[in-house]
Amino acid sequence: MTQHPSSSLSHPGLPAPSAPVLGQRGGDAPPAGSSLRRRSLFAGSAVAGAAMLATGVARAEGEPDPDGAHEDQPPAQGGTGRRAAEPRTTTIALREAELVERDGRQVRRVVGHPAALVGITWDEGDVEPAVSARGLQVDGAWSPWHELEVAVDLDTGVRSSGTEPVFFADVTEVEVIGELDGADATEGLYVHLIDFPEDPKQAPMALDEGGIPADEVARDRDGEEAASASAEPTAPQETPQRRAEETAAPEETGEDEQPGSAPVPSDGGGAGPSDGGGGAPSDSGGAGGGVGGAGIQGAAVPARGPFQPMALAPKDLGIPGAPPMITRAQWGATESATRSTSTSSALKSVVLHHTAGTNNYSRSQAAQQIRGIFDYHVRVLGWADIGYNVLVDRYGQIYEGRHGGLTRNVNGAHALGFNTGSFGISVMGDHSSLKASTEAREAVMRVAAWKLLSTFLDDVKAKSSWTVGVDGTRWKRGTTVSLPRFFGHRDVNTTSCPGDALYSAMDDLRWGIQTRIDSGWRFHLRAFADHGGASTLGTVLTSAQKEGDHTITRLSEGLIVSGPGLSARAATTTDSIRRSWRPSWGRPLEDHVSAGDRHTQRFEKGMAVRENGRNRFVTPYFVDVPVTHQYFLEIHDLREQGIIPGWSGRKFRVKDATTRNQAITYLYRLLGSPSFTPPTRSPFSDITPRHAQYREVTWAHSKGILEPFSNGSFRPSAAVRRDELSCFLHRGAGSPKWSPARAYGFSDVSKSSSYATEIAWMADTGISAGWGRSFKPGDPVNHERLAALLTRFQGVIG
């Protein structure tokens, strides 16, 4: 790993600074030794400094790099057709920046590099400094000082050689304090300034500070008019097409089975995507003032004013019950820069976070923030990807987070020790003392309700069991803890996240989540419960999603499928069949059946088969052999092999009796149609060389499979009896020596029977076990039973 050329961060002998009373404006610096405030927690691998400059000279990303760094890939198209603003990262060694004094403390001033997001790194192995940063906003006021936490890989608990980034929205200058034991340590620090030069700059909007204190929020939450959930119902967020798909089937009708309504916030809900980022003000109070203004009851207010950012319209992703979201392609994730994600076998809980940083951002800057953090974590710190599964901005817009699929149980990196089996939602902004907006809280409730309901966890207050497997959580390694289905980050890790003001609303959020679960898309949940629930079908691996014209939920032991005008059907299945399912298969008709290494399952359009390490799907051919037929697969396979091609009109004539002539012909084909020159004189009195199956019959005679009756006849048109067929098959297998004892167990086979040995062989090898204590040796064999017996015979002889 390339390290920064810097001096050690230790400064022995330097006096600790005094501790003046420092404010949050002008030239004030943060209090020395103040507690760290938690920043956005995204994770992957703890590899630091991969994109840092070795020269200490500022370089914008995209310029030639002698070490082989590459320019960002162009971001994907999205929203209104404009490209997502492409971030530009500039890395500066702070020893090259101006050193100034602020209230008796050493501060590095970085000018000439506008930034939306800032992170600080140091050489790997150096001692961690205490770092704070602030920015000069475009309106001429300084932001508050932000204390930056060390970035931690929440998959492993490894601390990185850098901080979490802080989002400023737009600043024209940055000042940094870095100290060890109160002494300046900025000589060995590097600042990474991420900017979006294509977007116009704007002054901060109303609200960064001045929010209602957390204790006031807690006192007011039961009676506030802008509560996150209202009793006033609205229609569920479901497309008419999908609603029609799931309600058209007779078994899904009925008053108690229709989708219910979901409450909306009393103050109007989220701003729509078409408002250009202006948004409509909430009616829960008056508009806020400038930076540091009181805001609306301390809640984040959607931006207003002439600024017209790129609109990223949330998309209906075709996921039943899920709210519209802004996809990774829309906000500009560079997928080629990410690494693989893992999944868990079951979802246990949803975890709530906040990203911290400024609350002053426009609609377009929300997407910038995600893109900037993504670039800092992936390109600068070398992590795998964004750690949250989804993010929510102050406008109530929901963003797809960590890649791997929203309907899968993708393990994030957001809660150390509790990532496997959890779904992380992060509200963008700092909610230590400032409530999240009504729109943001509504979005949290909607996305959490969908995720829990879609994985069949329909009680948000129920508990899930966790075993702590790492150090660094609130419990010792190996401890088993019980946690609710919806909890905050601080419940498991030592952090203030998701902020006092947001955490104090957890009970209200749980109530709203449960209300939305109760009125949500439940069609697959009903099928799940009716088929035995988790004890039969296991846990949800992939929640309901549209595939073609069907909707499917994949579980660890089964699947649930519904379609247009068709109710949901559940069935157990195998891993390979579950993975291979296609919309052309339709719904399952039954649970899977296993016989040896063969696994079969009937679907509406055919049968799925797994055997010999291979999957196949068999569709019906014969009009009189539907997929529900007992011997559907045997009949199909014999036709595919050319053994029994069937009759005209694509019929198999399943109940017709098999003649002796047919039985011998099919046996000959099954044994490979061996080369044979038939005799010029027939060994049977009732067939001649002109007989259609003369070759097959005389071959069977030459092999000792077939003998003339006492009068020298073959009787080709007579129905073959079960005992006769047993004889043909036994001799076709080479007449293996066999004890007749098993045959005597049948009440209709005596010791004087001519075919006792053959019948015993049939029963012992599993070709035909008869009917309880009866073998019915004299019964004729019809076409469908012949297909079954020949298939089993084929399995015996290999």
Side-chain angles (χ1 to χ4, degrees):
M1 168 132 347
T2 302
Q3 294 193 351
H4 305 304
S6 68
S7 59
S8 170
L9 290 180
S10 59
H11 294 267
L14 290 180
S18 58
V21 178
L22 302 175
Q24 297 292 317
R25 288 272 183 251
D28 293 340
S34 57
S35 60
L36 293 179
R37 178 174 291 180
R38 184 260 191 202
R39 296 294 162 207
S40 56
L41 293 176
F42 301 91
S45 70
V47 181
M52 301 174 187
L53 298 179
T55 62
V57 179
R59 177 180 62 82
E61 190 162 340
E63 294 177 7
D65 182 3
D67 292 330
H70 298 285
E71 185 176 359
D72 278 351
Q73 296 295 321
Q77 301 287 332
T80 59
R82 285 181 55 193
R83 292 200 317 189
E86 188 171 353
R88 177 183 63 192
T89 301
T90 302
T91 300
I92 296 174
L94 283 179
R95 64 175 174 272
E96 305 292 336
E98 180 185 5
L99 184 64
V100 299
E101 185 175 306
R102 303 290 190 216
D103 295 306
R105 303 178 72 180
Q106 299 298 302
V107 176
R108 293 286 182 173
R109 183 179 178 217
V110 180
V111 298
H113 298 284
L117 182 139
V118 173
I120 307 295
T121 60
W122 49 89
D123 287 333
E124 186 174 357
D126 281 347
V127 180
E128 296 173 0
V131 179
S132 299
R134 68 173 182 171
L136 182 62
Q137 300 163 153
V138 294
D139 65 348
W142 283 95
S143 75
W145 282 96
H146 294 273
E147 299 149 346
L148 309 186
E149 285 191 1
V150 174
V152 178
D153 181 346
L154 291 180
D155 281 324
T156 64
V158 175
R159 299 172 72 83
S160 299
S161 298
T163 70
E164 285 287 351
V166 59
F167 184 71
F168 285 114
D170 285 314
V171 293
T172 57
E173 297 182 17
V174 173
E175 291 191 343
V176 177
I177 295 175
E179 296 178 333
L180 274 174
D181 299 324
D184 177 56
T186 54
E187 280 276 332
L189 302 185
Y190 301 80
V191 60
H192 305 269
L193 305 136
I194 298 178
D195 187 35
F196 298 85
E198 292 182 4
D199 278 4
K201 306 303 177 186
Q202 65 173 6
M205 297 162 293
L207 76 76
D208 200 21
E209 300 160 86
I212 295 178
D215 57 349
E216 252 181 79
V217 174
R219 287 198 302 271
D220 293 345
R221 90 184 153 197
D222 290 335
E224 63 180 353
E225 290 184 2
S228 57
S230 165
E232 182 181 350
T234 187
Q237 301 297 316
E238 190 60 36
T239 62
Q241 177 183 1
R242 189 166 299 110
R243 197 153 50 235
E245 168 193 321
E246 303 302 344
T247 57
E251 55 261 55
E252 292 291 14
T253 58
E255 273 188 310
D256 60 339
E257 294 192 350
Q258 297 303 320
S261 354
V264 293
S266 59
D267 54 357
S274 60
D275 64 6
S282 167
D283 61 10
S284 59
V291 175
I296 297 179
Q297 294 190 359
V301 183
R304 284 164 281 178
F307 180 61
Q308 296 295 324
M310 179 185 69
L312 293 177
K315 293 183 177 181
D316 181 352
L317 303 180
I319 301 173
M325 299 187 198
I326 294 171
T327 66
R328 289 172 61 87
Q330 285 178 282
W331 61 254
T334 305
E335 302 297 0
S336 61
T338 63
R339 295 198 300 277
S340 61
T341 56
S342 61
T343 59
S344 60
S345 60
L347 184 76
K348 296 182 179 182
S349 298
V350 172
V351 187
L352 184 64
H353 305 259
H354 71 163
T355 63
T358 185
N359 295 298
N360 288 346
Y361 55 84
S362 67
R363 192 181 292 267
S364 70
Q365 288 172 330
Q368 279 186 11
Q369 182 175 171
I370 299 173
R371 173 67 168 151
I373 295 173
F374 172 89
D375 264 49
Y376 177 76
H377 281 193
V378 172
R379 298 185 184 281
V380 176
L381 297 185
W383 290 0
D385 194 4
I386 282 180
Y388 301 120
N389 297 98
V390 298
L391 297 96
V392 172
D393 70 18
R394 55 189 280 207
Y395 304 94
Q397 296 186 131
I398 303 168
Y399 299 78
E400 179 186 6
R402 180 162 262 210
H403 73 112
L406 289 164
T407 57
R408 302 167 68 218
N409 303 323
V410 175
N411 297 325
H414 52 88
L416 179 63
F418 295 84
N419 289 314
T420 300
S422 69
F423 183 84
I425 301 174
S426 190
V427 181
M428 297 163 62
D430 189 336
H431 299 292
S432 299
S433 59
L434 188 74
K435 288 192 306 180
S437 68
T438 300
E439 292 83 359
R441 299 196 307 271
E442 169 66 20
V444 168
M445 291 184 288
R446 289 185 65 192
V447 73
W450 156 71
K451 191 62 181 180
L452 291 171
L453 180 57
S454 67
T455 51
F456 306 150
L457 305 178
D458 59 344
D459 183 359
V460 72
K461 293 184 179 179
K463 298 294 184 69
S464 295
S465 179
W466 303 76
T467 300
V468 181
V470 298
D471 296 323
T473 74
R474 289 188 175 274
W475 300 273
K476 292 181 179 180
R477 185 194 294 257
T479 304
T480 298
V481 297
S482 182
L483 294 166
R485 298 270 169 79
F486 181 73
F487 62 83
H489 186 197
R490 66 171 62 181
D491 290 324
V492 294
N493 294 156
T494 305
T495 175
S496 63
C497 178
D500 291 345
L502 186 53
Y503 188 76
S504 67
M506 290 292 288
D507 287 343
D508 285 342
L509 293 173
R510 287 190 185 98
W511 179 87
I513 292 168
Q514 188 62 55
T515 303
R516 287 153 182 77
I517 286 175
D518 294 342
S519 60
W521 192 90
R522 306 175 67 84
F523 300 103
H524 282 200
L525 174 61
R526 296 188 190 117
F528 174 75
D530 291 344
H531 204 75
S535 62
T536 301
L537 297 169
T539 56
V540 174
L541 299 179
T542 305
S543 59
Q545 61 185 21
K546 290 285 289 184
E547 294 187 22
D549 57 354
H550 284 70
T551 302
I552 180 169
T553 296
R554 290 178 169 87
L555 301 103
S556 58
E557 303 296 333
L559 45 75
I560 304 172
V561 182
S562 55
L566 302 171
S567 63
R569 284 186 177 172
T572 63
T573 193
T574 67
D575 178 71
S576 59
I577 292 176
R578 179 185 65 245
R579 292 173 182 271
S580 302
W581 182 90
R582 297 292 182 270
S584 58
W585 296 13
R587 299 176 300 168
L589 299 180
E590 61 180 12
D591 291 340
H592 80 283
V593 177
S594 297
D597 68 344
R598 171 183 278 192
H599 306 276
T600 59
Q601 187 161 18
R602 288 181 171 85
F603 290 83
E604 290 173 314
K605 304 298 184 180
M607 177 178 287
V609 184
R610 170 75 176 180
E611 61 182 340
N612 301 322
R614 188 173 66 94
N615 291 341
R616 57 192 174 109
F617 190 76
V618 179
T619 55
Y621 173 82
F622 295 112
V623 297
D624 54 351
V625 185
V627 70
T628 54
H629 191 281
Q630 181 179 3
Y631 302 120
F632 168 81
L633 186 60
E634 289 87 342
I635 292 170
H636 171 275
D637 285 352
L638 290 174
R639 174 186 171 272
E640 284 288 299
Q641 296 174 61
I643 295 170
I644 309 181
W647 285 261
S648 61
R650 293 175 60 182
K651 293 182 178 180
F652 192 75
R653 300 180 182 177
V654 291
K655 299 299 181 183
D656 284 8
T658 304
T659 65
R660 286 166 53 84
N661 185 63
Q662 291 169 340
I664 291 298
T665 299
Y666 301 151
L667 177 61
Y668 172 78
R669 294 172 182 171
L670 188 148
L671 292 175
S673 300
S675 177
F676 175 72
T677 301
T680 56
R681 181 174 179 174
S682 172
F684 299 100
S685 60
D686 51 356
I687 64 170
T688 69
R690 291 192 297 271
H691 185 78
Q693 279 77 43
Y694 182 71
R695 175 190 298 272
E696 291 85 344
V697 172
T698 55
W699 165 84
H701 176 265
S702 71
K703 296 298 183 181
I705 296 172
L706 187 62
E707 295 176 354
F709 285 98
S710 58
N711 63 357
S713 66
F714 169 59
R715 303 178 189 177
S717 299
V720 65
R721 303 183 346 168
R722 284 174 52 80
D723 56 0
E724 290 176 330
L725 184 63
S726 299
C727 179
F728 295 163
L729 296 182
H730 178 256
R731 293 174 180 176
S735 299
K737 294 182 177 181
W738 215 264
S739 168
R742 175 67 175 86
Y744 303 145
F746 295 115
S747 60
D748 50 2
V749 179
S750 67
K751 291 187 178 181
S752 61
S753 171
S754 301
Y755 302 114
T757 297
E758 292 84 347
I759 290 172
W761 173 80
M762 291 277 283
D764 287 340
T765 57
I767 297 174
S768 177
W771 289 265
R773 289 185 53 79
S774 299
F775 188 77
K776 302 180 181 179
D779 282 9
V781 180
N782 61 26
H783 290 164
E784 62 182 3
R785 295 198 179 280
L786 177 71
L789 295 172
L790 287 181
T791 299
R792 294 170 194 164
F793 169 77
Q794 192 175 35
V796 168
I797 66 173

